[in-house]
């Protein structure tokens, strides 16, 4: 592993500058390139191969994108799309290695790990493209397009949006004497309901994941923002808001600890992350999970069996209301791309109503285009709370050190949940470690 | 002239291999040493020289804990491989029915890719959905699921998996080495009144020492540098419980964006392995 990593000759030896010296010049070059592309004959004879990558599992991605690619290649005989999939576990490592060797695909999926790449000028600023293609841009839900910006620029066209919500099992609620039409509305009610379920049925009321993974950070950020009334991360000032809301921060850390302390969860929460609760929820072995639209694909058969057993609801509110975390992934173009205009055209094709809906439906993504909202598939009972959640959501940490910050918070919250340190110690550790890194 | 040509012939034969090895190993090695004294990250590359700053981990209490965990991982892992591997090899050296089938079965863990093995074991050991706990609960051996991947047992669990994965190499090496021990030696020992344990300790082990030493060096080096299986199972957690050197190296490079510190730790690990290997080989030379 060491040899592979250190054999990367790309680091420090790029042939092109890593960051444009003048972003305005980059914008001008992009605009010029766009104009040149407009002037080209639509049926250019130049054979172009575009590399295209999705993060996820090949079993999931291939059936979604192969038909789209095939159709695109038929409509554009001079373009060939070379498709690949990077697993989530290796997404960060592989993306860095691809960028360092100048081999990041022409159209590649990007998520919060992309802020680091954007900061280093490795991602093309797509803002001029959005400004040029107004019809395409205006079809996006405005809040989604706004949330994906980094330093007022768009570095990936949002296609994969989801926010944390509450999923619950109506049958288990009934067994516990709870009304399925009245899911918990507050964070305190969430734990009380979970306790009632455990006491009355023996089934864990809430799947709790204390493993130090990024989704633990995301759940914590949702709890914190719901208590503090503000996201943990101040994007414009590029800093934590922890010290602005110390009481809310410590209360939120204590809440996470309470999730483990109270007898409401499955055995050994340290072994799983919050997403690890999905098999338990699917198999009716837990009453509730905190998860997003991404979980939908794992419950689809039950959601569509007509029983309405598995249901969705808003993320529970804290002292300052409800504010769950919203993740936005999308399609990015590396700044080293040799065919940025062709890459952009392919992105637009990927995100026409039909293809975006196919992608979203099979993957478990929220409808983010205005043209999608009225489609029949989004009228099912479980969609409304998930879609409405975006109105009470906030964005992810947007900073070049997002990975470090999320990992730090995850580790500290995990330690707090397992009782290894007090909420106050956790607060201090997070503030010190993150500030030392970013300042 | 002819003498020079003749003398240089061996070197000319090995020259392609030397060039190949220099490219494959030499360039990354030079890069590693260079990065260890620099501020460098994967995408920006070299920024500036920082002298010994990247080696400040040597006085960091957290690194000392990582080193201790690595020593526990290596010592118990390698010792476990030897104990288990030797036992199985001795058993498979006997003319038992189905011996050939058993010999094939013991190799299977070695053939399974690390990533696949890590994923399978993670699934099997899960408290809620894993096969192992299901069997333990069903048979009444435990009343609550055992948290194999919790903080208390995580290191023992990954060491167990290391032994399971690494023992086949030793077993195959020993089975080959057993064939080099003449039958007459065992007969002579028996005639002289040596019991089984005496024969093993005073005859077999000395004869097997070259294989044991070389296998020990290889297994130790492998165990120190193993990353994927531990990363997949625990990612170095929970709460750093299984964070060994290789995980630390990865975290420094890809999470902390500090390739310089990562290279410094790698250099430390390399020197450690070289010293260990030298000591073991010197011990073998003394015997010979």
């Amino acid at each position: 592993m060491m040899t592979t990593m250190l054999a990367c000759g790309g680091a420090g030896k790029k042939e092109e500058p890593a960051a444009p010296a003048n972003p305005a010049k980059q914008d001008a070059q992009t605009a010029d390139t766009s104009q040149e592309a407009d002037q080209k004959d639509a049926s250019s004879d130049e054979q172009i191969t575009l590399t295209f990558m999705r993060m996820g599992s090949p079993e999931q991605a291939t059936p979604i994108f192969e038909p789209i690619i095939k159709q695109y290649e038929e409509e554009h005989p001079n373009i060939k799309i070379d498709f690949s999939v990077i697993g989530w576990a290796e997404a960060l490592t592989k993306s860095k290695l691809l960028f360092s060797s100048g081999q990041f695909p022409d159209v590649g999926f990007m998520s919060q790990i992309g802020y680091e790449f954007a900061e280093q000028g490795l991602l093309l600023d797509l803002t001029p493209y959005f400004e040029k293609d107004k019809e395409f841009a205006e079809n996006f839900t405005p809040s989604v397009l706004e949330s994906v910006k980094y330093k007022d620029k768009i570095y990936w066209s949002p296609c994969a949006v989801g926010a944390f919500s509450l999923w619950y099992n109506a049958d288990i609620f009934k067994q516990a004497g709870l009304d399925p039409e009245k899911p918990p509305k507050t964070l305190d009610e969430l734990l009380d309901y979970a306790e009632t379920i455990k006491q009355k049925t023996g089934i864990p009321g809430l799947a709790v994941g204390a493993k130090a993974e990024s989704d633990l950070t995301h759940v914590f950020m949702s709890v914190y923002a719901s208590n503090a009334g503000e996201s943990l991360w101040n994007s414009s000032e590029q800093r934590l808001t922890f010290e602005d809301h110390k009481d809310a921060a410590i209360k939120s850390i204590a809440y996470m600890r309470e999730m483990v302390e109270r007898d409401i969860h499955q055995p050994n929460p340290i072994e799983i992350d919050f997403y690890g609760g999905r098999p338990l929820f699917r198999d009716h072995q837990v009453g509730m999970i905190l998860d997003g639209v991404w979980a939908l694909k794992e419950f689809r058969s039950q959601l569509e069996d007509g029983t309405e057993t598995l249901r969705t609801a808003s993320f529970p509110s804290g002292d300052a209301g409800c504010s769950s975390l919203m993740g936005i992934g999308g399609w990015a173009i590396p700044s080293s791309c040799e065919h940025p205009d062709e890459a952009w055209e392919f992105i637009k094709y990927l995100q026409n109503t039909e293809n975006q809906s196919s992608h979203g439906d099979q993957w478990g993504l929220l409808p983010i285009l205005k043209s999608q909202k009225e489609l029949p598939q989004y009228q099912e009972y479980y969609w409304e709370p998930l879609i409405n959640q975006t109105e009470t959501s906030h964005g992810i940490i947007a900073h070049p050190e997002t990975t470090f910050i999320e990992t730090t918070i995850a580790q500290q919250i995990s330690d707090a949940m397992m009782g290894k340190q007090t909420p106050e110690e956790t607060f201090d550790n997070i503030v010190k470690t993150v500030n030392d890194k970013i300042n | 002239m002819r003498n020079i040509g003749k003398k240089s012939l061996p070197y000319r034969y090995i020259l392609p291999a030397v060039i190949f090895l220099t490219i494959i190993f030499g360039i990354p090695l030079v890069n590693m040493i260079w990065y260890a004294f620099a501020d460098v990250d994967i995408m920006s590359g070299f920024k500036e020289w920082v002298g010994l700053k990247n080696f400040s981990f040597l006085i960091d209490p957290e690194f000392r804990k990582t080193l201790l965990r690595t020593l526990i991982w290596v010592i118990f892992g390698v010792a476990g491989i030897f104990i288990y591997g030797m036992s199985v090899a001795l058993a498979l050296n006997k003319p038992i029915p189905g011996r050939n089938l058993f010999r094939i079965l013991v190799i299977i863990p070695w053939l399974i890719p690390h990533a696949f093995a890590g994923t399978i074991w993670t699934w099997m050991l899960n408290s809620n959905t894993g096969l192992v706990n299901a069997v333990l609960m069903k048979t009444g051996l435990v009343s609550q699921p055992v948290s194999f991947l919790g903080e208390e047992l995580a290191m023992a669990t990954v060491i167990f998996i290391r032994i399971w994965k690494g023992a086949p190499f030793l077993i195959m090496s020993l089975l080959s080495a057993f064939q080099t021990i003449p039958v007459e030696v065992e007969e002579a020992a028996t005639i002289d009144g040596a019991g089984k344990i005496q024969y093993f300790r005073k005859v077999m082990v000395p004869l097997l020492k070259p294989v044991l030493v070389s296998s020990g060096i290889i297994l130790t080096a492998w165990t120190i540098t193993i990353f994927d299986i531990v990363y997949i199972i625990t990612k170095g957690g929970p709460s750093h419980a299984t964070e060994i050197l290789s995980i630390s190296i990865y975290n420094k490079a890809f999470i902390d964006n500090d390739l310089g510190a990562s290279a410094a730790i790698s250099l430390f690990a390399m020197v450690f392995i070289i010293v260990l290997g030298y000591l073991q080989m010197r011990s073998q030379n003394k015997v010979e």
Side-chain angles (χ1 to χ4, degrees), chain A residues 2 5-6 11-12 14 93 96 100 116-117 120 213 266-268 270-271 401 404 411 415 420 437, chain B residues 31-32 35 42-45 127-128 145 147-148 151 235 238-239 246 250 253-257 262 266:
Chain A
M2 285 186 254
M5 194 174 76
L6 293 163
K14 282 192 268 301
T93 313
K96 287 191 175 187
S100 73
E116 182 182 356
F117 307 138
Q120 301 207 29
E213 297 278 6
Q266 82 291 344
N268 303 317
I270 191 63
E271 289 189 18
E401 297 289 354
F404 176 85
Q411 188 58 63
D415 286 350
K420 294 168 73 70
K437 183 69 173 178
Chain B
N31 264 349
M32 182 176 76
Y35 291 165
I42 286 178
M43 290 176 301
S44 313
S127 282
N128 300 288
S147 184
F148 291 106
E151 196 175 346
K235 277 193 176 167
S239 293
S246 53
Y250 171 88
F254 291 99
I255 306 296
D256 297 359
N257 281 328
S262 180
S266 302

Short mmCIF file of all heavy atoms in Angstrom, two decimals, chain A residues 2 5-6 11-12 14 93 96 100 116-117 120 213 266-268 270-271 401 404 411 415 420 437, chain B residues 31-32 35 42-45 127-128 145 147-148 151 235 238-239 246 250 253-257 262 266:
data_model
loop_
_atom_site.label_atom_id
_atom_site.label_comp_id
_atom_site.label_asym_id
_atom_site.label_seq_id
_atom_site.Cartn_x
_atom_site.Cartn_y
_atom_site.Cartn_z
N MET A 2 1.93 1.24 0.83
CA MET A 2 2.81 2.38 0.92
C MET A 2 3.46 2.63 -0.43
O MET A 2 3.58 3.76 -0.88
CB MET A 2 3.90 2.12 1.97
CG MET A 2 3.41 2.22 3.41
SD MET A 2 4.80 2.06 4.53
CE MET A 2 4.57 0.42 5.16
N MET A 5 1.07 4.15 -2.98
CA MET A 5 0.78 5.55 -2.69
C MET A 5 1.95 6.41 -3.06
O MET A 5 1.78 7.48 -3.64
CB MET A 5 0.49 5.64 -1.19
CG MET A 5 -0.14 6.91 -0.76
SD MET A 5 -0.55 6.77 0.98
CE MET A 5 1.07 6.98 1.70
N LEU A 6 3.16 5.98 -2.72
CA LEU A 6 4.30 6.85 -2.91
C LEU A 6 4.88 6.75 -4.30
O LEU A 6 5.77 7.51 -4.65
CB LEU A 6 5.38 6.50 -1.87
CG LEU A 6 4.92 6.84 -0.45
CD1 LEU A 6 5.76 6.14 0.58
CD2 LEU A 6 4.96 8.33 -0.22
N ALA A 11 1.99 13.67 -8.00
CA ALA A 11 2.03 14.71 -6.98
C ALA A 11 3.22 15.61 -7.22
O ALA A 11 4.35 15.19 -7.26
CB ALA A 11 2.13 14.07 -5.60
N GLY A 12 2.92 16.88 -7.39
CA GLY A 12 4.00 17.85 -7.55
C GLY A 12 4.62 17.83 -8.91
O GLY A 12 5.56 18.57 -9.17
N LYS A 14 2.70 17.87 -11.96
CA LYS A 14 1.69 18.06 -12.99
C LYS A 14 2.28 18.87 -14.13
O LYS A 14 3.08 19.78 -13.93
CB LYS A 14 0.48 18.77 -12.42
CG LYS A 14 -0.43 17.85 -11.61
CD LYS A 14 -1.73 18.50 -11.32
CE LYS A 14 -1.72 19.22 -10.00
NZ LYS A 14 -1.41 18.36 -8.86
N THR A 93 -9.95 8.04 -1.49
CA THR A 93 -8.58 7.67 -1.86
C THR A 93 -8.41 7.67 -3.37
O THR A 93 -7.48 8.27 -3.90
CB THR A 93 -8.26 6.25 -1.33
OG1 THR A 93 -8.66 6.17 0.03
CG2 THR A 93 -6.80 5.94 -1.45
N LYS A 96 -8.51 11.15 -5.05
CA LYS A 96 -7.26 11.92 -4.88
C LYS A 96 -6.18 11.39 -5.82
O LYS A 96 -5.44 12.16 -6.44
CB LYS A 96 -6.77 11.81 -3.43
CG LYS A 96 -7.60 12.63 -2.46
CD LYS A 96 -6.94 12.71 -1.09
CE LYS A 96 -7.74 13.65 -0.22
NZ LYS A 96 -7.13 13.93 1.06
N SER A 100 -4.40 13.39 -8.81
CA SER A 100 -2.94 13.61 -8.77
C SER A 100 -2.27 13.11 -10.05
O SER A 100 -1.23 13.61 -10.44
CB SER A 100 -2.32 12.94 -7.55
OG SER A 100 -2.28 11.55 -7.70
N GLU A 116 -12.32 20.16 -1.46
CA GLU A 116 -10.84 20.19 -1.45
C GLU A 116 -10.33 20.31 -2.88
O GLU A 116 -9.39 21.06 -3.17
CB GLU A 116 -10.37 18.87 -0.82
CG GLU A 116 -8.88 18.74 -0.69
CD GLU A 116 -8.50 17.40 -0.09
OE1 GLU A 116 -9.39 16.62 0.29
OE2 GLU A 116 -7.29 17.15 0.00
N PHE A 117 -10.94 19.57 -3.79
CA PHE A 117 -10.50 19.60 -5.18
C PHE A 117 -10.84 20.94 -5.82
O PHE A 117 -10.07 21.48 -6.62
CB PHE A 117 -11.16 18.46 -5.97
CG PHE A 117 -10.98 17.10 -5.36
CD1 PHE A 117 -12.04 16.19 -5.32
CD2 PHE A 117 -9.78 16.71 -4.80
CE1 PHE A 117 -11.89 14.94 -4.75
CE2 PHE A 117 -9.61 15.46 -4.23
CZ PHE A 117 -10.68 14.58 -4.19
N GLN A 120 -8.37 23.58 -4.91
CA GLN A 120 -7.08 23.46 -5.59
C GLN A 120 -7.20 23.65 -7.09
O GLN A 120 -6.24 23.42 -7.82
CB GLN A 120 -6.48 22.08 -5.29
CG GLN A 120 -6.27 21.86 -3.81
CD GLN A 120 -5.16 20.90 -3.50
OE1 GLN A 120 -4.21 20.78 -4.26
NE2 GLN A 120 -5.26 20.21 -2.40
N GLU A 213 -18.20 7.05 11.72
CA GLU A 213 -18.27 7.21 10.28
C GLU A 213 -18.90 8.58 9.98
O GLU A 213 -19.50 9.20 10.85
CB GLU A 213 -19.15 6.12 9.67
CG GLU A 213 -18.60 4.72 9.87
CD GLU A 213 -17.54 4.35 8.85
OE1 GLU A 213 -17.13 5.22 8.05
OE2 GLU A 213 -17.10 3.20 8.85
N GLN A 266 -30.47 -1.34 19.45
CA GLN A 266 -30.04 -2.72 19.22
C GLN A 266 -28.73 -2.96 19.98
O GLN A 266 -28.07 -2.02 20.40
CB GLN A 266 -29.88 -2.95 17.70
CG GLN A 266 -28.56 -2.48 17.11
CD GLN A 266 -28.40 -0.97 17.08
OE1 GLN A 266 -29.34 -0.20 17.23
NE2 GLN A 266 -27.16 -0.52 16.91
N PRO A 267 -28.34 -4.24 20.19
CA PRO A 267 -27.08 -4.50 20.90
C PRO A 267 -25.88 -3.89 20.20
O PRO A 267 -25.83 -3.82 18.98
CB PRO A 267 -26.98 -6.04 20.89
CG PRO A 267 -28.37 -6.51 20.69
CD PRO A 267 -29.04 -5.48 19.84
N ASN A 268 -24.92 -3.47 21.01
CA ASN A 268 -23.61 -3.05 20.52
C ASN A 268 -23.65 -1.98 19.42
O ASN A 268 -23.22 -2.20 18.29
CB ASN A 268 -22.81 -4.26 20.02
CG ASN A 268 -22.66 -5.32 21.09
OD1 ASN A 268 -22.38 -5.00 22.25
ND2 ASN A 268 -22.89 -6.57 20.74
N ILE A 270 -21.80 0.39 18.87
CA ILE A 270 -20.48 0.80 18.39
C ILE A 270 -20.10 0.07 17.09
O ILE A 270 -19.23 0.51 16.35
CB ILE A 270 -19.40 0.57 19.48
CG1 ILE A 270 -18.06 1.24 19.10
CG2 ILE A 270 -19.16 -0.92 19.70
CD1 ILE A 270 -18.11 2.73 18.98
N GLU A 271 -20.77 -1.04 16.82
CA GLU A 271 -20.38 -1.85 15.67
C GLU A 271 -20.93 -1.33 14.35
O GLU A 271 -20.46 -1.72 13.29
CB GLU A 271 -20.85 -3.28 15.86
CG GLU A 271 -20.09 -4.02 16.93
CD GLU A 271 -20.45 -5.49 16.93
OE1 GLU A 271 -21.00 -5.98 15.93
OE2 GLU A 271 -20.19 -6.14 17.95
N GLU A 401 -10.94 20.94 3.91
CA GLU A 401 -10.64 19.90 4.89
C GLU A 401 -11.90 19.23 5.42
O GLU A 401 -11.93 18.75 6.57
CB GLU A 401 -9.84 20.50 6.07
CG GLU A 401 -8.49 21.08 5.68
CD GLU A 401 -7.47 20.00 5.31
OE1 GLU A 401 -7.79 18.80 5.45
OE2 GLU A 401 -6.36 20.38 4.88
N PHE A 404 -11.36 15.76 6.94
CA PHE A 404 -10.70 15.79 8.25
C PHE A 404 -11.70 16.24 9.32
O PHE A 404 -11.77 15.65 10.40
CB PHE A 404 -9.50 16.75 8.22
CG PHE A 404 -8.83 16.91 9.56
CD1 PHE A 404 -7.86 16.02 9.97
CD2 PHE A 404 -9.18 17.95 10.42
CE1 PHE A 404 -7.25 16.16 11.22
CE2 PHE A 404 -8.58 18.09 11.66
CZ PHE A 404 -7.61 17.19 12.06
N GLN A 411 -15.28 10.88 15.31
CA GLN A 411 -14.52 10.18 16.34
C GLN A 411 -14.86 10.71 17.73
O GLN A 411 -15.05 9.95 18.68
CB GLN A 411 -13.01 10.32 16.07
CG GLN A 411 -12.14 9.46 16.98
CD GLN A 411 -12.47 8.01 16.87
OE1 GLN A 411 -12.33 7.38 15.82
NE2 GLN A 411 -12.95 7.42 17.97
N ASP A 415 -16.80 8.70 20.75
CA ASP A 415 -16.22 8.54 22.09
C ASP A 415 -17.19 9.04 23.15
O ASP A 415 -17.32 8.44 24.24
CB ASP A 415 -14.89 9.30 22.20
CG ASP A 415 -13.76 8.58 21.47
OD1 ASP A 415 -13.95 7.42 21.06
OD2 ASP A 415 -12.68 9.19 21.30
N LYS A 420 -16.74 7.62 26.88
CA LYS A 420 -15.30 7.71 27.12
C LYS A 420 -14.88 9.13 27.49
O LYS A 420 -13.77 9.35 27.97
CB LYS A 420 -14.53 7.25 25.88
CG LYS A 420 -14.73 5.77 25.60
CD LYS A 420 -14.22 5.39 24.22
CE LYS A 420 -12.72 5.38 24.15
NZ LYS A 420 -12.12 4.27 24.92
N LYS A 437 -6.47 22.75 12.77
CA LYS A 437 -6.25 22.27 11.40
C LYS A 437 -6.54 23.36 10.37
O LYS A 437 -5.81 23.55 9.40
CB LYS A 437 -7.15 21.05 11.13
CG LYS A 437 -6.96 20.42 9.75
CD LYS A 437 -5.63 19.73 9.61
CE LYS A 437 -5.53 18.97 8.30
NZ LYS A 437 -4.22 18.34 8.12
N ASN B 31 11.19 8.58 -3.32
CA ASN B 31 10.08 9.50 -3.08
C ASN B 31 9.71 9.55 -1.60
O ASN B 31 9.50 10.62 -1.03
CB ASN B 31 8.83 9.04 -3.86
CG ASN B 31 8.69 9.76 -5.19
OD1 ASN B 31 9.39 10.73 -5.46
ND2 ASN B 31 7.80 9.28 -6.02
N MET B 32 9.65 8.36 -1.00
CA MET B 32 9.25 8.28 0.42
C MET B 32 10.24 9.02 1.30
O MET B 32 9.86 9.79 2.18
CB MET B 32 9.15 6.81 0.85
CG MET B 32 8.68 6.64 2.28
SD MET B 32 8.46 4.92 2.73
CE MET B 32 10.15 4.41 2.94
N TYR B 35 9.84 12.77 0.65
CA TYR B 35 8.61 13.32 1.24
C TYR B 35 8.71 13.40 2.76
O TYR B 35 8.10 14.27 3.38
CB TYR B 35 7.39 12.48 0.88
CG TYR B 35 6.98 12.53 -0.57
CD1 TYR B 35 6.10 11.59 -1.08
CD2 TYR B 35 7.44 13.52 -1.43
CE1 TYR B 35 5.69 11.63 -2.42
CE2 TYR B 35 7.05 13.57 -2.75
CZ TYR B 35 6.18 12.61 -3.24
OH TYR B 35 5.79 12.64 -4.56
N ILE B 42 -0.92 14.91 -1.48
CA ILE B 42 -1.07 14.08 -2.68
C ILE B 42 -1.36 14.90 -3.92
O ILE B 42 -0.85 14.62 -5.01
CB ILE B 42 -2.19 13.04 -2.47
CG1 ILE B 42 -1.67 11.96 -1.55
CG2 ILE B 42 -2.64 12.42 -3.79
CD1 ILE B 42 -2.68 10.89 -1.23
N MET B 43 -2.16 15.94 -3.80
CA MET B 43 -2.55 16.65 -5.02
C MET B 43 -1.70 17.87 -5.30
O MET B 43 -1.39 18.15 -6.45
CB MET B 43 -4.03 17.00 -4.93
CG MET B 43 -4.87 15.76 -5.04
SD MET B 43 -6.61 16.04 -4.83
CE MET B 43 -6.62 16.74 -3.21
N SER B 44 -1.32 18.59 -4.26
CA SER B 44 -0.50 19.79 -4.50
C SER B 44 0.94 19.41 -4.75
O SER B 44 1.68 20.18 -5.36
CB SER B 44 -0.52 20.74 -3.32
OG SER B 44 -1.82 20.93 -2.87
N GLY B 45 1.37 18.25 -4.23
CA GLY B 45 2.75 17.86 -4.38
C GLY B 45 3.66 18.53 -3.35
O GLY B 45 3.22 18.95 -2.29
N SER B 127 -22.96 -8.14 15.49
CA SER B 127 -23.74 -8.51 16.67
C SER B 127 -25.17 -8.86 16.33
O SER B 127 -25.77 -9.75 16.94
CB SER B 127 -23.80 -7.33 17.64
OG SER B 127 -22.62 -7.21 18.35
N ASN B 128 -25.74 -8.10 15.40
CA ASN B 128 -27.18 -8.22 15.18
C ASN B 128 -27.54 -9.19 14.05
O ASN B 128 -28.55 -9.86 14.11
CB ASN B 128 -27.76 -6.86 14.85
CG ASN B 128 -27.52 -5.87 15.99
OD1 ASN B 128 -28.14 -5.97 17.03
ND2 ASN B 128 -26.59 -4.95 15.80
N PRO B 145 -25.56 -11.15 22.40
CA PRO B 145 -24.56 -11.20 21.32
C PRO B 145 -23.21 -10.68 21.81
O PRO B 145 -23.15 -9.74 22.59
CB PRO B 145 -25.15 -10.25 20.26
CG PRO B 145 -26.57 -10.09 20.59
CD PRO B 145 -26.70 -10.28 22.07
N SER B 147 -19.84 -8.76 21.29
CA SER B 147 -19.41 -7.66 20.45
C SER B 147 -17.97 -7.89 20.00
O SER B 147 -17.03 -7.31 20.55
CB SER B 147 -19.53 -6.33 21.22
OG SER B 147 -19.21 -5.25 20.38
N PHE B 148 -17.80 -8.74 19.00
CA PHE B 148 -16.46 -9.06 18.52
C PHE B 148 -15.77 -7.82 17.94
O PHE B 148 -14.55 -7.74 17.94
CB PHE B 148 -16.53 -10.14 17.43
CG PHE B 148 -16.93 -11.48 17.94
CD1 PHE B 148 -18.20 -11.97 17.70
CD2 PHE B 148 -16.05 -12.25 18.67
CE1 PHE B 148 -18.58 -13.22 18.17
CE2 PHE B 148 -16.42 -13.50 19.14
CZ PHE B 148 -17.69 -13.98 18.90
N GLU B 151 -14.93 -2.33 21.27
CA GLU B 151 -13.60 -1.87 21.64
C GLU B 151 -12.78 -2.94 22.37
O GLU B 151 -11.58 -3.05 22.14
CB GLU B 151 -13.73 -0.63 22.53
CG GLU B 151 -12.44 0.14 22.66
CD GLU B 151 -12.61 1.42 23.45
OE1 GLU B 151 -13.76 1.84 23.68
OE2 GLU B 151 -11.60 1.98 23.86
N LYS B 235 -11.50 -0.15 10.31
CA LYS B 235 -10.97 1.16 9.95
C LYS B 235 -10.08 1.74 11.05
O LYS B 235 -9.94 2.95 11.16
CB LYS B 235 -12.11 2.15 9.67
CG LYS B 235 -12.65 2.08 8.27
CD LYS B 235 -13.53 3.27 7.94
CE LYS B 235 -13.97 3.19 6.49
NZ LYS B 235 -15.03 4.09 6.17
N PRO B 238 -12.86 0.40 16.97
CA PRO B 238 -13.49 1.62 17.47
C PRO B 238 -12.59 2.37 18.46
O PRO B 238 -11.82 1.74 19.18
CB PRO B 238 -14.74 1.11 18.19
CG PRO B 238 -14.50 -0.32 18.47
CD PRO B 238 -13.46 -0.81 17.52
N SER B 239 -12.64 3.68 18.39
CA SER B 239 -11.82 4.53 19.26
C SER B 239 -10.35 4.16 19.19
O SER B 239 -9.69 4.00 20.22
CB SER B 239 -12.30 4.42 20.73
OG SER B 239 -13.57 4.97 20.85
N SER B 246 -0.04 0.83 9.82
CA SER B 246 -0.47 0.98 8.42
C SER B 246 -1.72 1.85 8.32
O SER B 246 -1.86 2.64 7.38
CB SER B 246 -0.73 -0.39 7.80
OG SER B 246 -1.63 -1.13 8.60
N TYR B 250 -2.11 5.55 6.42
CA TYR B 250 -3.21 5.88 5.51
C TYR B 250 -3.93 7.15 5.98
O TYR B 250 -4.18 8.06 5.20
CB TYR B 250 -4.19 4.71 5.44
CG TYR B 250 -5.46 5.03 4.69
CD1 TYR B 250 -5.54 4.87 3.31
CD2 TYR B 250 -6.59 5.52 5.35
CE1 TYR B 250 -6.70 5.18 2.61
CE2 TYR B 250 -7.74 5.83 4.65
CZ TYR B 250 -7.79 5.65 3.29
OH TYR B 250 -8.95 5.98 2.61
N ALA B 253 -2.10 10.35 5.29
CA ALA B 253 -2.04 10.72 3.88
C ALA B 253 -3.38 11.19 3.33
O ALA B 253 -3.46 12.20 2.63
CB ALA B 253 -1.52 9.55 3.04
N PHE B 254 -4.45 10.43 3.65
CA PHE B 254 -5.71 10.67 2.97
C PHE B 254 -6.75 11.41 3.80
O PHE B 254 -7.67 12.00 3.24
CB PHE B 254 -6.30 9.34 2.49
CG PHE B 254 -5.51 8.73 1.37
CD1 PHE B 254 -4.59 7.73 1.62
CD2 PHE B 254 -5.66 9.17 0.07
CE1 PHE B 254 -3.84 7.17 0.59
CE2 PHE B 254 -4.92 8.63 -0.97
CZ PHE B 254 -4.01 7.63 -0.71
N ILE B 255 -6.64 11.39 5.12
CA ILE B 255 -7.60 12.11 5.95
C ILE B 255 -6.99 13.46 6.38
O ILE B 255 -7.63 14.50 6.29
CB ILE B 255 -8.02 11.29 7.19
CG1 ILE B 255 -8.54 9.91 6.77
CG2 ILE B 255 -9.06 12.04 8.01
CD1 ILE B 255 -9.80 9.94 5.94
N ASP B 256 -5.76 13.41 6.87
CA ASP B 256 -5.09 14.61 7.33
C ASP B 256 -4.40 15.37 6.19
O ASP B 256 -3.90 16.48 6.41
CB ASP B 256 -4.03 14.28 8.39
CG ASP B 256 -4.65 13.66 9.63
OD1 ASP B 256 -5.89 13.52 9.66
OD2 ASP B 256 -3.91 13.33 10.57
N ASN B 257 -4.37 14.78 5.00
CA ASN B 257 -3.70 15.42 3.85
C ASN B 257 -2.24 15.75 4.16
O ASN B 257 -1.75 16.81 3.75
CB ASN B 257 -4.43 16.71 3.45
CG ASN B 257 -5.67 16.42 2.63
OD1 ASN B 257 -5.73 15.44 1.89
ND2 ASN B 257 -6.69 17.24 2.78
N SER B 262 3.00 11.01 6.72
CA SER B 262 2.74 9.62 6.33
C SER B 262 4.02 8.95 5.86
O SER B 262 4.32 7.80 6.23
CB SER B 262 1.71 9.63 5.20
OG SER B 262 1.42 8.33 4.78
N SER B 266 6.15 5.82 7.47
CA SER B 266 6.50 4.69 6.60
C SER B 266 7.99 4.40 6.68
O SER B 266 8.41 3.23 6.73
CB SER B 266 6.13 4.98 5.14
OG SER B 266 4.77 5.26 5.02
#
